[in-house]
Structures are given as structure tokens and as C-alpha cells.
Amino acid sequence: LVENVRKGGHILGVWHALENLADGYGGPRDEAVLPSVQSLAKICADLPVEIEVLTNRDGQVQTKDGLKPSITVILLARRL
């Protein structure tokens, strides 16, 4: 996908975090499809991008039983 982004352009990704399996609610239950900050940093290290934001964010999901915690990983990177 990076090759489709113009130099200086941005890539934004928002995913359920791997940590959501143990400490959050909802999202995929298969760790093979859940990224972590570490796995995304490793992927980006091999790409022509500069990471501007790469972090987990705590959030909440509304359910019929009330609010439940969720953990989302956010990536904002600029194409070099």
C-alpha cells in the first residue's frame, strides 16, 4: 500500500490492539490478525515511512450491559 501514497502523504491505521484480547472487549478473538505497537513498528522499519504516532489508546464500547473497555492501536506515518 505504501507505494500508492504520494511522498509526504500520510498513512493512518486504526485497529483493535493485540492487548484487547486480554484487557479489552470486542474485536477479533484471533491474535494472528491483531497488531501490536511492536509488530507495526517492525513492519514500518522496512518501509519508506516516518512514524509520527504509534500508540495504544484506551476506549470504551457501548454494550447492552453498559460500557466495556477496549484497546485500539493507532498508526500515523508519513511517506518518505
Side-chain angles (χ1 to χ4, degrees):
L1 293 172
V2 172
E3 63 274 2
N4 295 316
V5 177
R6 183 181 350 184
K7 289 183 180 179
H10 285 85
I11 299 163
L12 174 66
V14 179
W15 299 268
H16 290 283
L18 177 61
E19 294 80 3
N20 200 57
L21 275 177
D23 300 320
Y25 179 86
R29 306 316 297 163
D30 180 358
E31 68 181 53
V33 301
L34 293 169
S36 66
V37 167
Q38 295 79 10
S39 67
L40 289 172
K42 185 176 179 180
I43 291 167
C44 288
D46 294 329
L47 299 173
V49 298
E50 177 182 57
I51 295 172
E52 295 183 359
V53 176
L54 179 53
T55 188
N56 282 340
R57 298 274 172 97
D58 292 331
Q60 295 181 327
V61 176
Q62 181 66 54
T63 73
K64 65 179 181 169
D65 299 321
L67 292 174
K68 304 282 185 179
S70 69
I71 304 168
T72 303
V73 62
I74 308 290
L75 168 68
L76 177 64
R78 184 175 56 83
R79 169 81 152 87
L80 300 175

